[in-house]
Amino acid sequence: MFNALIMNKDEDSSAAQAEIKQISEEDLPSGDVTVAVEYSTVNYKDGLCLSPKGGGLVRNYPHIPGIDYAGTVETSSDARYAPGDKVVLTGWRVGEAHWGGYAQKASAKADWLVPLPDGLSTQQAMAVGTAGFTAMLAVMALEDHGLTPGHGPVLVTGAAGGVGSVATAILAHLGYEVAAVTGRPETGDYLKSLGASTIVPREELNETTKRPLESETWAGCVDAVGGEMLARVLGQMKYGCSVAAVGLAGGAGLPATVIPFLLRGVNLLGIDSVMQPYDNRVRAWNRIATDLPMDKLEAMVQPATLSDLPKLGADILQGQVKGRVVVDVNA
Protein backbone atom coordinates (compact mmCIF):
# COMPACT_ATOMS: atom_id res chain seq x y z
CA MET A 1 0.00 0.00 0.00
CA PHE A 2 1.15 3.55 -0.66
CA ASN A 3 -0.10 7.13 -0.31
CA ALA A 4 -1.84 9.06 -3.07
CA LEU A 5 -3.69 12.35 -3.25
CA ILE A 6 -7.00 11.45 -4.84
CA MET A 7 -9.67 13.80 -6.16
CA ASN A 8 -13.12 12.29 -5.84
CA LYS A 9 -16.77 13.31 -5.96
CA ASP A 10 -19.53 12.23 -3.61
CA GLU A 11 -22.67 10.95 -5.27
CA ASP A 12 -24.56 13.99 -4.01
CA SER A 13 -21.92 16.55 -4.98
CA SER A 14 -20.73 18.02 -8.26
CA ALA A 15 -17.54 19.32 -6.64
CA ALA A 16 -14.46 17.15 -6.27
CA GLN A 17 -12.59 16.99 -2.97
CA ALA A 18 -8.94 16.13 -2.34
CA GLU A 19 -8.04 13.37 0.08
CA ILE A 20 -4.80 11.53 0.86
CA LYS A 21 -5.56 7.81 0.82
CA GLN A 22 -3.69 4.56 0.71
CA ILE A 23 -4.07 2.52 -2.48
CA SER A 24 -2.33 -0.52 -3.95
CA GLU A 25 -0.52 -1.17 -7.23
CA GLU A 26 -3.61 -3.07 -8.40
CA ASP A 27 -5.49 0.25 -8.29
CA LEU A 28 -3.12 1.86 -10.79
CA PRO A 29 -4.06 1.95 -14.48
CA SER A 30 -2.23 -0.47 -16.74
CA GLY A 31 1.11 0.66 -18.17
CA ASP A 32 4.47 -0.54 -19.43
CA VAL A 33 6.48 0.87 -16.52
CA THR A 34 5.85 1.22 -12.80
CA VAL A 35 7.74 4.12 -11.25
CA ALA A 36 8.48 4.70 -7.58
CA VAL A 37 7.77 8.43 -7.56
CA GLU A 38 10.17 10.56 -5.58
CA TYR A 39 9.16 14.11 -6.46
CA SER A 40 6.45 16.00 -8.30
CA THR A 41 5.67 19.69 -8.65
CA VAL A 42 2.85 22.23 -9.07
CA ASN A 43 2.00 23.83 -12.41
CA TYR A 44 -0.97 25.95 -13.45
CA LYS A 45 -2.66 22.86 -14.90
CA ASP A 46 -2.21 21.11 -11.58
CA GLY A 47 -4.07 23.97 -9.93
CA LEU A 48 -6.94 23.44 -12.37
CA CYS A 49 -6.99 19.68 -11.76
CA LEU A 50 -6.99 20.23 -7.99
CA SER A 51 -9.96 22.60 -8.19
CA PRO A 52 -13.50 21.42 -7.34
CA LYS A 53 -14.53 21.36 -11.01
CA GLY A 54 -11.28 19.96 -12.36
CA GLY A 55 -10.67 23.04 -14.49
CA GLY A 56 -12.25 21.34 -17.50
CA LEU A 57 -9.26 18.98 -17.69
CA VAL A 58 -10.37 16.06 -15.50
CA ARG A 59 -13.12 13.97 -17.05
CA ASN A 60 -13.29 10.95 -14.76
CA TYR A 61 -13.15 10.47 -10.99
CA PRO A 62 -11.52 9.21 -8.81
CA HIS A 63 -8.42 10.92 -10.18
CA ILE A 64 -4.78 11.43 -9.16
CA PRO A 65 -3.45 14.79 -10.44
CA GLY A 66 0.20 15.70 -10.98
CA ILE A 67 1.29 16.39 -14.57
CA ASP A 68 4.99 15.90 -13.74
CA TYR A 69 6.95 13.36 -11.77
CA ALA A 70 10.43 11.91 -11.44
CA GLY A 71 11.54 8.72 -9.79
CA THR A 72 13.00 5.24 -10.14
CA VAL A 73 11.74 2.42 -12.35
CA GLU A 74 10.46 -0.51 -10.28
CA THR A 75 9.16 -2.79 -13.03
CA SER A 76 9.18 -2.55 -16.83
CA SER A 77 7.84 -4.64 -19.70
CA ASP A 78 9.66 -2.38 -22.17
CA ALA A 79 13.31 -3.05 -23.04
CA ARG A 80 14.18 0.65 -22.95
CA TYR A 81 13.81 0.79 -19.15
CA ALA A 82 15.04 -1.49 -16.38
CA PRO A 83 14.54 -1.50 -12.61
CA GLY A 84 16.74 1.14 -11.03
CA ASP A 85 16.66 3.55 -13.99
CA LYS A 86 15.97 7.18 -13.11
CA VAL A 87 13.22 8.71 -15.26
CA VAL A 88 11.24 11.91 -15.65
CA LEU A 89 7.76 12.41 -17.07
CA THR A 90 6.10 15.60 -18.28
CA GLY A 91 3.10 16.06 -20.53
CA TRP A 92 1.11 13.48 -22.51
CA ARG A 93 -1.99 14.59 -20.54
CA VAL A 94 -0.76 12.67 -17.52
CA GLY A 95 -2.39 14.17 -14.43
CA GLU A 96 -5.32 15.26 -16.60
CA ALA A 97 -6.73 12.38 -18.67
CA HIS A 98 -4.42 9.84 -17.00
CA TRP A 99 -3.47 9.37 -13.35
CA GLY A 100 -0.46 11.45 -12.44
CA GLY A 101 2.37 11.95 -10.02
CA TYR A 102 0.71 12.95 -6.73
CA ALA A 103 1.31 9.44 -5.38
CA GLN A 104 4.20 7.32 -4.22
CA LYS A 105 3.88 5.10 -7.29
CA ALA A 106 2.71 5.66 -10.86
CA SER A 107 2.17 3.60 -13.98
CA ALA A 108 3.06 4.95 -17.41
CA LYS A 109 3.56 4.07 -21.03
CA ALA A 110 7.25 3.74 -21.83
CA ASP A 111 6.89 6.29 -24.66
CA TRP A 112 5.97 8.96 -22.11
CA LEU A 113 9.19 8.66 -20.12
CA VAL A 114 12.59 10.26 -20.65
CA PRO A 115 15.81 9.01 -19.05
CA LEU A 116 17.03 11.45 -16.43
CA PRO A 117 20.21 13.12 -17.76
CA ASP A 118 23.48 12.50 -15.95
CA GLY A 119 24.17 15.11 -13.31
CA LEU A 120 20.49 15.88 -12.66
CA SER A 121 18.71 14.52 -9.58
CA THR A 122 15.01 13.65 -9.45
CA GLN A 123 14.53 16.54 -7.04
CA GLN A 124 16.20 18.97 -9.46
CA ALA A 125 14.17 17.55 -12.34
CA MET A 126 10.97 18.51 -10.53
CA ALA A 127 12.34 21.92 -9.67
CA VAL A 128 12.48 22.18 -13.46
CA GLY A 129 9.21 20.33 -14.26
CA THR A 130 6.93 21.23 -17.14
CA ALA A 131 7.54 24.94 -16.47
CA GLY A 132 11.30 24.68 -16.86
CA PHE A 133 11.03 22.18 -19.69
CA THR A 134 8.76 24.63 -21.52
CA ALA A 135 11.20 27.47 -20.83
CA MET A 136 14.05 25.47 -22.38
CA LEU A 137 11.92 24.59 -25.41
CA ALA A 138 11.25 28.31 -25.84
CA VAL A 139 14.94 29.23 -25.60
CA MET A 140 15.84 26.49 -28.09
CA ALA A 141 13.17 27.71 -30.51
CA LEU A 142 14.46 31.28 -30.29
CA GLU A 143 18.02 30.07 -30.90
CA ASP A 144 16.86 27.93 -33.83
CA HIS A 145 15.40 31.12 -35.32
CA GLY A 146 18.62 33.10 -34.98
CA LEU A 147 18.77 34.48 -31.44
CA THR A 148 22.34 35.06 -30.29
CA PRO A 149 23.84 36.99 -27.36
CA GLY A 150 24.84 40.56 -28.13
CA HIS A 151 21.97 41.38 -30.47
CA GLY A 152 19.96 43.15 -27.79
CA PRO A 153 17.84 42.51 -24.70
CA VAL A 154 15.55 39.49 -24.47
CA LEU A 155 12.20 40.10 -22.81
CA VAL A 156 10.63 37.56 -20.44
CA THR A 157 7.00 38.25 -19.49
CA GLY A 158 5.44 36.77 -16.38
CA ALA A 159 9.02 36.46 -15.23
CA ALA A 160 8.35 35.63 -11.57
CA GLY A 161 6.27 32.59 -12.47
CA GLY A 162 7.61 29.10 -13.04
CA VAL A 163 8.31 29.34 -16.78
CA GLY A 164 9.54 32.90 -16.53
CA SER A 165 11.89 32.21 -13.63
CA VAL A 166 13.63 29.34 -15.40
CA ALA A 167 13.74 31.21 -18.73
CA THR A 168 15.35 34.18 -16.99
CA ALA A 169 18.00 31.99 -15.35
CA ILE A 170 18.80 30.07 -18.54
CA LEU A 171 19.03 33.15 -20.76
CA ALA A 172 21.23 35.02 -18.27
CA HIS A 173 23.48 31.98 -17.91
CA LEU A 174 23.87 31.83 -21.70
CA GLY A 175 25.02 35.45 -21.80
CA TYR A 176 21.83 37.26 -22.80
CA GLU A 177 20.71 40.58 -21.39
CA VAL A 178 17.35 39.75 -19.81
CA ALA A 179 14.53 42.24 -19.26
CA ALA A 180 12.05 40.67 -16.81
CA VAL A 181 8.42 41.80 -16.78
CA THR A 182 6.48 41.47 -13.54
CA GLY A 183 3.41 42.94 -11.92
CA ARG A 184 4.79 42.21 -8.45
CA PRO A 185 7.42 44.83 -7.57
CA GLU A 186 8.48 42.81 -4.52
CA THR A 187 9.90 40.13 -6.86
CA GLY A 188 12.45 42.52 -8.38
CA ASP A 189 15.36 41.39 -6.19
CA TYR A 190 14.46 37.75 -6.78
CA LEU A 191 14.50 38.24 -10.55
CA LYS A 192 17.82 40.09 -10.43
CA SER A 193 19.25 37.20 -8.39
CA LEU A 194 18.30 34.93 -11.31
CA GLY A 195 20.24 37.14 -13.69
CA ALA A 196 17.74 39.73 -14.94
CA SER A 197 19.46 42.96 -15.99
CA THR A 198 16.30 45.08 -16.05
CA ILE A 199 12.93 44.89 -14.31
CA VAL A 200 10.04 46.07 -16.49
CA PRO A 201 6.82 46.96 -14.62
CA ARG A 202 3.84 45.11 -16.10
CA GLU A 203 1.84 48.31 -16.57
CA GLU A 204 4.34 49.50 -19.17
CA LEU A 205 3.29 46.70 -21.52
CA ASN A 206 -0.23 45.57 -20.66
CA GLU A 207 -2.10 48.31 -22.48
CA THR A 208 -2.90 48.16 -26.17
CA THR A 209 -1.74 50.90 -28.49
CA LYS A 210 -3.17 52.08 -31.77
CA ARG A 211 0.30 52.06 -33.29
CA PRO A 212 1.04 48.71 -34.96
CA LEU A 213 4.79 49.34 -34.67
CA GLU A 214 6.86 50.96 -31.93
CA SER A 215 10.61 51.38 -31.50
CA GLU A 216 12.60 48.21 -32.20
CA THR A 217 13.59 47.13 -28.70
CA TRP A 218 13.71 43.37 -28.13
CA ALA A 219 15.95 40.79 -29.78
CA GLY A 220 13.72 37.99 -28.51
CA CYS A 221 10.92 37.28 -26.10
CA VAL A 222 9.63 34.39 -24.00
CA ASP A 223 5.98 35.28 -23.43
CA ALA A 224 3.92 33.57 -20.73
CA VAL A 225 1.14 36.17 -20.72
CA GLY A 226 -0.48 36.40 -24.16
CA GLY A 227 -3.38 38.81 -24.63
CA GLU A 228 -2.76 42.52 -24.85
CA MET A 229 0.81 42.27 -23.63
CA LEU A 230 1.81 39.88 -26.42
CA ALA A 231 0.16 42.15 -28.97
CA ARG A 232 2.13 45.11 -27.63
CA VAL A 233 5.43 43.20 -27.58
CA LEU A 234 5.05 42.09 -31.22
CA GLY A 235 5.17 45.74 -32.26
CA GLN A 236 8.39 46.29 -30.28
CA MET A 237 10.44 43.41 -31.71
CA LYS A 238 13.58 44.08 -33.71
CA TYR A 239 13.63 43.20 -37.38
CA GLY A 240 13.52 39.45 -38.05
CA CYS A 241 13.34 38.55 -34.35
CA SER A 242 11.02 36.12 -32.62
CA VAL A 243 8.59 35.72 -29.75
CA ALA A 244 8.14 32.26 -28.21
CA ALA A 245 4.57 32.04 -26.87
CA VAL A 246 4.33 29.68 -23.89
CA GLY A 247 1.26 30.78 -21.93
CA LEU A 248 -1.92 32.81 -21.63
CA ALA A 249 -1.94 34.20 -18.10
CA GLY A 250 -3.23 37.48 -19.53
CA GLY A 251 -5.84 35.96 -21.82
CA ALA A 252 -6.20 33.84 -24.94
CA GLY A 253 -7.13 36.72 -27.22
CA LEU A 254 -4.59 38.50 -29.39
CA PRO A 255 -5.69 42.06 -30.28
CA ALA A 256 -2.86 42.54 -32.78
CA THR A 257 -2.30 43.37 -36.44
CA VAL A 258 -0.22 41.51 -39.00
CA ILE A 259 1.98 44.57 -39.55
CA PRO A 260 4.92 43.36 -37.38
CA PHE A 261 5.02 40.14 -39.40
CA LEU A 262 4.84 41.89 -42.77
CA LEU A 263 7.06 44.94 -42.22
CA ARG A 264 9.58 43.61 -39.71
CA GLY A 265 9.58 39.89 -40.43
CA VAL A 266 8.74 39.13 -36.80
CA ASN A 267 8.15 35.46 -35.96
CA LEU A 268 5.58 34.19 -33.45
CA LEU A 269 6.64 30.71 -32.31
CA GLY A 270 4.16 28.45 -30.56
CA ILE A 271 5.66 26.28 -27.81
CA ASP A 272 3.87 23.07 -26.84
CA SER A 273 5.33 20.83 -24.14
CA VAL A 274 2.57 18.23 -23.89
CA MET A 275 2.97 16.32 -27.17
CA GLN A 276 6.61 17.20 -27.83
CA PRO A 277 8.41 14.43 -29.79
CA TYR A 278 10.81 12.21 -27.87
CA ASP A 279 14.04 13.35 -29.57
CA ASN A 280 13.36 17.01 -28.81
CA ARG A 281 12.44 16.10 -25.23
CA VAL A 282 15.83 14.44 -24.78
CA ARG A 283 17.54 17.43 -26.41
CA ALA A 284 15.77 19.84 -24.05
CA TRP A 285 16.50 17.82 -20.90
CA ASN A 286 20.17 17.50 -21.87
CA ARG A 287 20.32 21.27 -22.37
CA ILE A 288 18.68 21.78 -18.97
CA ALA A 289 21.38 19.65 -17.36
CA THR A 290 24.13 21.83 -18.86
CA ASP A 291 22.61 25.31 -19.28
CA LEU A 292 20.43 25.84 -16.20
CA PRO A 293 22.63 26.94 -13.26
CA MET A 294 21.67 24.74 -10.35
CA ASP A 295 22.36 27.41 -7.73
CA LYS A 296 19.78 29.63 -9.45
CA LEU A 297 17.38 26.69 -9.64
CA GLU A 298 17.65 26.12 -5.90
CA ALA A 299 16.82 29.77 -5.27
CA MET A 300 13.46 29.27 -7.02
CA VAL A 301 12.37 26.24 -5.00
CA GLN A 302 9.58 26.06 -2.43
CA PRO A 303 9.34 22.60 -0.78
CA ALA A 304 5.97 20.92 -0.25
CA THR A 305 4.27 17.63 0.64
CA LEU A 306 1.08 15.95 -0.57
CA SER A 307 -0.92 17.62 2.20
CA ASP A 308 0.12 21.09 0.96
CA LEU A 309 -1.23 20.55 -2.55
CA PRO A 310 -4.87 21.71 -2.23
CA LYS A 311 -3.79 25.14 -0.97
CA LEU A 312 -0.91 25.41 -3.46
CA GLY A 313 -3.29 24.52 -6.28
CA ALA A 314 -5.57 27.41 -5.32
CA ASP A 315 -2.60 29.75 -4.85
CA ILE A 316 -1.12 29.11 -8.30
CA LEU A 317 -4.45 29.88 -9.96
CA GLN A 318 -4.37 33.27 -8.20
CA GLY A 319 -0.81 33.99 -9.33
CA GLN A 320 0.47 33.70 -5.77
CA VAL A 321 3.20 31.09 -6.33
CA LYS A 322 6.70 32.43 -6.98
CA GLY A 323 9.24 30.25 -8.74
CA ARG A 324 8.96 26.47 -8.48
CA VAL A 325 7.34 24.08 -6.01
CA VAL A 326 8.97 20.69 -5.39
CA VAL A 327 6.64 18.13 -3.85
CA ASP A 328 8.23 15.31 -1.85
CA VAL A 329 5.52 12.65 -2.23
CA ASN A 330 7.19 10.45 0.40
CA ALA A 331 7.37 13.07 3.16
Side-chain angles (χ1 to χ4, degrees):
M1 303 293 288
F2 57 90
N3 291 330
L5 184 141
I6 296 181
M7 302 295 296
N8 210 350
K9 290 182 178 180
D10 296 331
E11 291 182 4
D12 301 329
S13 174
S14 61
Q17 301 289 329
E19 182 182 5
I20 298 175
K21 296 177 64 176
Q22 284 210 322
I23 62 174
S24 69
E25 286 191 30
E26 287 72 26
D27 296 315
L28 293 174
S30 61
D32 307 317
V33 183
T34 301
V35 178
V37 180
E38 296 167 18
Y39 296 96
S40 186
T41 184
V42 180
N43 300 284
Y44 191 85
K45 279 187 177 180
D46 295 312
L48 294 173
C49 294
L50 287 162
S51 67
K53 300 291 186 182
L57 299 177
V58 181
R59 303 297 173 86
N60 299 301
Y61 292 91
H63 179 69
I64 298 177
I67 69 171
D68 300 338
Y69 60 82
T72 304
V73 172
E74 281 199 341
T75 63
S76 175
S77 61
D78 188 286
R80 287 172 287 179
Y81 296 101
D85 289 349
K86 297 291 186 180
V87 293
V88 59
L89 185 148
T90 62
W92 300 114
R93 299 207 65 204
V94 169
E96 306 170 45
H98 313 286
W99 280 15
Y102 290 167
Q104 291 175 305
K105 292 189 181 184
S107 179
K109 293 183 178 180
D111 288 342
W112 296 346
L113 300 170
V114 175
L116 194 67
D118 291 339
L120 201 63
S121 71
T122 53
Q123 186 176 24
Q124 289 169 331
M126 286 299 97
V128 175
T130 281
F133 175 61
T134 302
M136 181 54 82
L137 290 173
V139 171
M140 286 168 26
L142 291 174
E143 291 176 337
D144 291 345
H145 283 78
L147 180 66
T148 57
H151 189 48
V154 179
L155 192 71
V156 178
T157 70
V163 179
S165 292
V166 181
T168 298
I170 291 171
L171 288 164
H173 181 71
L174 292 172
Y176 293 96
E177 177 188 348
V178 181
V181 183
T182 182
R184 294 180 277 172
E186 68 275 11
T187 64
D189 288 343
Y190 162 74
L191 291 168
K192 287 186 176 179
S193 75
L194 297 181
S197 303
T198 307
I199 307 300
V200 180
R202 180 170 59 196
E203 56 268 21
E204 291 188 11
L205 290 172
N206 65 356
E207 294 183 3
T208 55
T209 177
K210 293 183 179 179
R211 292 176 291 168
L213 294 176
E214 299 181 73
S215 297
E216 295 184 45
T217 305
W218 315 114
C221 174
V222 177
D223 174 61
V225 176
E228 294 178 348
M229 186 175 295
L230 174 55
R232 185 80 182 272
V233 169
L234 288 169
Q236 297 179 356
M237 299 303 297
K238 292 189 174 187
Y239 187 90
C241 293
S242 303
V243 177
V246 301
L248 41 65
L254 185 59
T257 76
V258 298
I259 299 301
F261 308 121
L262 302 181
L263 297 188
R264 284 194 185 154
V266 171
N267 306 298
L268 180 57
L269 312 175
I271 306 300
D272 167 66
S273 67
V274 177
M275 307 303 289
Q276 195 68 212
Y278 177 81
D279 288 347
N280 212 40
R281 286 178 183 271
V282 172
R283 178 187 171 211
W285 278 105
N286 286 337
R287 285 286 306 272
I288 286 166
T290 59
D291 293 338
L292 175 56
M294 290 302 141
D295 59 331
K296 299 292 192 295
L297 183 66
E298 290 170 5
M300 304 176 201
V301 170
Q302 171 184 344
T305 65
L306 289 178
S307 61
D308 297 320
L309 287 168
K311 182 180 186 303
L312 285 167
D315 287 348
I316 201 167
L317 295 181
Q318 297 299 316
Q320 297 303 310
V321 173
K322 181 182 76 174
R324 302 288 297 131
V325 175
V326 175
V327 182
D328 183 346
V329 301
N330 298 294

